[in-house]
Amino acid sequence: MTTPPSGWTDELARVRLHVVTGKGGTGKTTGAAALAVALAHGGRRVLLVEVEGRQGLAQLFGRSPLPYAEEHLTRVPGGGEVRALAVDAEAALLEYLSMFYNLGFAGRTLRKMGAIEFATTLAPGLRDVLLTGKVKECVTRTDSRGRHAYDAVVLDAPPTGRVAKFLDVTRAMADLAKVGPIRDQSEGVVRLLHSGETAVHLVALLEELPVQETLEAVDELDAADLRPGAVLVNRVRPVRLPAGEVDTAARGAVDAEHVVSGLRNAGLDPAPAVVTGLVDQTVEHALRVRSERAAMTQLAAAGLPVLELPDRPDGIDAGVVHELAELLIEQGVR
Amino acid sequence: MSSPRAGRPPMLDVDGLLDDRGTRVLVCCGSGGVGKTTTAAALALRAAERGRRVVVLTIDPARRLAQSLGLRQLGNHPRRVQLDGDFPGELSAMMLDMRRTFDEMVMTHAGRERAEQILANPFYQTISTSFSGTQEYMAMEKLGQLAATGDWDLIVVDTPPSRSALDFLDAPQRLSSVLDGRIIRMLSAPARAGGRGIARLVGAGFGLFAKAVSTVVGGQLLADASAFVQAFDSMFGGFRERAKATYRLLRSPGTAFLVVAAPEPDALREAAYFVERLAAEGMPLAGLVLNRTHPVLADLPAPSALAAADELDRSGDDPVVAAVLRLHADRVAVAEREKRLLGRFVDAHSEVPLIGVPALPTDVHDMEGLREIGHRLAGT
């Protein structure tokens, strides 16, 4: 189940804002981090942004919680760098308001009282507008010579169930004031999100629910005129049985005698219980491979490039993220 | 903090829990994606087949699981599930419709005229469909309603798929504080009596803040919110009373919490938080259900399996047996990781009874699958 390097299209290579979503538990943050590191190869500067206050990036990279500031996260061979930013909607709102009003001391007190949480509750769209607004500012920021501050920005976005709504800034603005600073800025956000500079990648597992949610999210993104990018299939486990044997084994037809003689040829002398156990494990493996194949076929129907990340039974840390990034590069990410 | 490891944790006796007539409410909680809904459905089915009159309240079941429970149509009330075979108990199931539950609650508590006013308010529509705590609050409300009917002798509750397991306990409080209207009164009428105290507190900045918020969210929305809070005010007492009653139900001896997790670091971390939180709240924890484990079925060390597979690959004449050996080694690696992850949880919480539920090789979406999960939950 390998994907040809053409998996990463020329259109995707031009994207500057990579939004990464996925059903909860699929490894969205891992996928976003691996993509950011992959994109930073070749001496590029990449910003990895999280917006849900989970501090998932800090945990992944084994460091203390990220503040609301762009901080160095990891260096990448070839002189590249990934920086990280945890955007906090309340801080973003205060940042915003202080651009227009001198709140002074009141800002902190109101925050303590929950007034700011209240304002974002009053208009749920406000939170999303603030978060995407900050992301847009990072994508478009330039230095004194007009060069982009970041070559690419990777956003660890809300899960598939909410992502289309999260990115639908136009709709969210309908809840908000018809004039004013936020509205003016939101027009630029809308332009960026619906342009060729943005793509929404979906992290999936080869299981029923994640596949179903991925396909639903692709439909929702299409309907909202947002651009689905690639599907990152995470935690792909090795297929050990020869292709022609899977269906036979999945039916339960694993010949125990054959297993015994094979093991003897290899110098083992297994107890009957071991043989039974091995046969049961093989049948389970075959059933799993078969349902994963069906899941892959369903995913392919979305017509998006598919990239694979292998299962890592020892868990994920910063070192593993770098290895996964190498695998993404092998599959064409650039 | 934790006592030295006292061997294996006690095994969770699921059948004992289901058979105990004193168990009236069973709450399945845990972070999203760990199989809570399936666990809740499997427990309810098993309890019904063992003679209990059961209702299971699911929150957001997978489509095919919902179909197998006969929940194709969204109903906000329990429907009887047809069970094959002859069993002494019975099973009903329902899927939470958060908006309808909220509407019904408003209609119960507010007078007819006032209810219509509330239901038509745009701000109510936002709160009742998209506020992040509403689903949790309505799940609690529904649990309270089901308990009040007395129609069932066991209620199994699935909890909303929030990121953090603790949201289930905290979200109702969050919604309460929004609805109690203190801040909104200040925002919408900062010059009136209620606002002056605050103005003294934070100085002139408050007026500016109110102005800023109004610039940002728009005067209309603020006006809607204010009208809503005023209309809601009269029923707020009843609203909070009910939430308190449900909270008491959760702390009563007839309630048992099952914390559901999968052998993943995030899920087990959430499970640990939840176990500590339940203890702090005085809520009765029955144990931990560890879903989707991969126990090794054949007692053969991985290195010998891999060496034998290499041997077979060299001769090249038995690729199938070589595959059998390699997939065994894969499985040993997975099982060791799971054991390591669980070990960390057990070190800190050695007193919590637990049961591992071995993964089924395919997705569960019919009665047969639920029954099989039930067997595995009971350790049979």
Side-chain angles (χ1 to χ4, degrees):
Chain A
M1 283 200 283
T2 46
T3 315
S6 64
W8 202 251
T9 60
D10 291 342
E11 285 80 34
L12 290 178
R14 282 194 287 273
V15 166
R16 295 195 54 249
L17 172 56
H18 297 267
V19 180
V20 180
T21 181
K23 180 176 160 43
T26 55
K28 189 166 62 69
T29 301
T30 305
L35 181 60
V37 172
L39 291 169
H41 275 251
R44 296 199 289 176
R45 276 166 67 86
V46 176
L47 180 69
L48 181 54
V49 183
E50 73 175 352
V51 290
E52 292 195 287
R54 283 170 50 210
Q55 290 292 340
L57 297 176
Q59 274 170 27
L60 194 58
F61 284 85
R63 48 166 294 165
S64 52
L66 297 163
Y68 181 40
E70 290 155 47
E71 297 226 325
H72 170 76
L73 189 65
T74 186
R75 249 170 244 302
V76 176
E81 182 192 14
V82 177
R83 297 170 72 84
L85 168 68
V87 187
D88 170 72
E90 297 188 356
L93 179 59
L94 280 180
E95 187 182 77
Y96 243 61
L97 294 177
S98 64
M99 283 160 61
F100 301 95
Y101 306 96
N102 181 15
L103 286 180
F105 195 52
R108 215 170 47 220
T109 314
L110 290 162
R111 186 172 189 168
K112 224 182 277 169
M113 285 172 53
I116 300 199
E117 191 188 351
F118 181 79
T120 49
T121 298
L122 201 59
L126 175 59
R127 185 174 285 268
D128 297 346
V129 170
L130 289 165
L131 297 174
T132 49
K134 181 66 194 178
V135 170
K136 185 242 168 194
E137 188 268 314
C138 297
V139 173
T140 53
R141 189 190 309 149
T142 51
D143 63 18
S144 53
R145 287 168 303 166
R147 198 174 152 259
H148 283 301
Y150 294 103
D151 297 298
V153 173
V154 178
L155 170 62
D156 182 5
T160 39
R162 286 193 286 120
V163 74
K165 210 169 166 189
F166 174 74
L167 297 173
D168 195 351
V169 174
T170 313
R171 212 195 54 86
M173 285 307 293
D175 291 349
L176 302 179
K178 302 294 174 261
V179 290
I182 292 200
R183 170 154 305 260
D184 295 344
Q185 198 239 13
S186 76
E187 283 162 16
V189 179
V190 171
R191 266 198 307 280
L192 170 67
L193 293 178
H194 294 271
S195 75
E197 284 196 298
T198 301
V200 184
H201 308 296
L202 301 114
V203 180
L205 301 179
L206 293 177
E207 291 169 14
E208 184 184 9
L209 281 182
V211 167
Q212 192 179 306
E213 277 204 18
T214 302
L215 296 175
E216 284 167 7
V218 170
D219 286 345
E220 282 179 40
L221 291 169
D222 282 338
D225 195 27
L226 293 158
R227 295 160 24 108
V231 176
L232 302 181
V233 179
N234 195 15
R235 284 202 230 134
V236 176
R237 287 177 287 187
V239 175
R240 298 300 187 186
L241 282 171
E245 302 291 333
V246 171
D247 284 334
T248 319
R251 280 197 305 274
V254 177
D255 184 353
E257 292 298 312
H258 177 188
V259 172
V260 172
S261 71
L263 293 176
R264 293 222 167 100
N265 285 342
L268 295 173
D269 184 22
V274 170
V275 176
T276 313
L278 288 174
V279 167
D280 289 349
Q281 288 178 175
T282 305
V283 174
E284 278 193 20
H285 176 82
L287 284 167
R288 176 175 64 71
V289 169
R290 212 170 52 169
S291 72
E292 287 179 354
R293 273 186 193 162
M296 194 56 131
T297 310
Q298 271 184 290
L299 271 183
L304 300 175
V306 175
L307 285 76
E308 295 184 8
L309 294 170
D311 183 39
R312 299 294 305 234
D314 291 331
I316 309 285
D317 58 19
V320 173
V321 169
H322 280 267
E323 286 173 36
L324 295 176
E326 303 269 355
L327 294 173
L328 288 178
I329 291 169
E330 281 171 24
Q331 295 175 73
V333 170
R334 59 194 186 275
Chain B
M1 185 173 80
S2 60
S3 56
R5 206 163 172 176
R8 291 149 68 96
M11 186 174 144
L12 173 63
D13 177 10
V14 166
D15 280 346
L17 187 66
L18 297 179
D19 291 346
D20 179 356
R21 297 276 153 174
T23 311
R24 314 284 297 192
V25 175
L26 203 51
V27 184
C28 299
C29 46
S31 54
V34 297
K36 269 188 312 237
T37 307
T38 307
T39 301
L43 286 167
L45 175 63
R46 189 169 181 87
E49 292 186 345
R50 297 174 72 85
R52 305 291 302 267
R53 243 179 25 256
V54 189
V55 62
V56 57
L57 168 58
T58 66
I59 306 296
D60 192 14
R63 206 174 298 152
R64 288 202 284 176
L65 177 64
Q67 281 169 11
S68 69
L69 289 170
L71 294 175
R72 203 115 147 232
Q73 312 89 323
L74 240 160
N76 198 27
H77 297 280
R79 294 164 63 96
R80 184 80 179 264
V81 180
Q82 290 309 319
L83 299 178
D84 38 325
D86 191 19
F87 301 106
E90 61 172 75
L91 176 63
S92 296
M94 67 162 290
M95 182 154 66
L96 179 73
D97 180 336
M98 140 177 118
R99 175 68 194 270
R100 272 178 60 185
T101 305
F102 210 149
D103 287 357
E104 285 167 13
M105 195 169 63
V106 169
M107 286 187 281
T108 311
H109 285 273
R112 192 189 150 78
E113 201 179 318
R114 182 148 281 192
E116 276 170 18
Q117 213 182 332
I118 293 175
L119 296 186
N121 185 294
F123 182 64
Y124 170 73
Q125 297 181 7
T126 305
I127 282 276
S128 63
T129 52
S130 26
F131 181 60
S132 62
T134 303
Q135 204 176 30
E136 284 83 358
Y137 203 128
M138 292 307 129
M140 290 282 84
E141 166 67 19
K142 202 72 202 176
L143 168 60
Q145 287 176 12
L146 292 174
T149 63
D151 289 348
W152 291 277
D153 66 14
L154 176 65
I155 304 170
V156 181
V157 194
D158 173 24
T159 50
S162 37
R163 182 186 77 219
S164 150
L166 300 177
D167 278 359
F168 180 61
L169 292 175
D170 294 334
Q173 186 51 48
R174 269 214 308 277
L175 183 60
S176 252
S177 66
V178 167
L179 294 180
D180 106 346
R182 205 165 43 96
I183 294 173
I184 193 146
R185 265 191 295 270
M186 288 168 359
L187 281 181
S188 51
R192 284 211 311 255
R196 261 204 301 275
I198 288 302
R200 254 204 314 278
L201 206 67
V202 298
F206 185 80
L208 271 176
F209 179 79
K211 187 163 160 251
V213 168
S214 151
T215 313
V216 168
V217 303
Q220 187 56 47
L221 189 67
L222 216 48
D224 289 343
S226 176
F228 169 75
V229 169
Q230 275 163 27
F232 203 79
D233 213 26
S234 64
M235 61 173 277
F236 188 74
F239 197 84
R240 189 145 55 185
E241 246 345 284
R242 278 170 91 91
K244 275 191 192 146
T246 309
Y247 210 69
R248 276 197 299 276
L249 174 68
L250 290 180
R251 299 174 63 160
S252 73
T255 298
F257 282 83
L258 282 175
V259 177
V260 184
E264 296 295 333
D266 292 355
L268 280 166
R269 191 168 42 235
E270 287 296 329
Y273 289 151
F274 209 93
V275 163
E276 282 154 26
R277 179 67 185 274
L278 287 174
E281 301 271 346
M283 290 180 173
L285 170 68
L288 177 79
V289 172
L290 189 66
N291 271 336
R292 295 198 216 117
T293 62
H294 297 82
V296 176
L297 307 180
D299 182 15
L300 176 67
S304 340
L306 286 177
D310 287 345
E311 177 79 30
L312 289 173
D313 281 347
R314 263 194 296 280
S315 69
D317 44 38
D318 214 335
V320 174
V321 178
V324 168
L325 289 164
R326 289 194 192 283
L327 68 90
H328 170 71
D330 292 342
R331 183 141 177 158
V332 171
V334 170
E336 274 171 4
R337 167 175 198 242
E338 291 176 353
K339 227 192 282 176
R340 206 165 51 238
L341 287 169
L342 182 61
R344 277 185 228 154
F345 177 91
V346 171
D347 282 348
H349 303 281
S350 57
E351 75 294 348
V352 176
L354 71 91
I355 182 83
V357 181
L360 288 176
T362 52
D363 290 305
V364 175
H365 41 68
D366 57 14
M367 286 300 198
E368 220 28 70
L370 287 180
R371 210 164 268 138
E372 178 57 36
I373 295 285
H375 281 301
R376 293 177 183 212
L377 276 163
T380 57

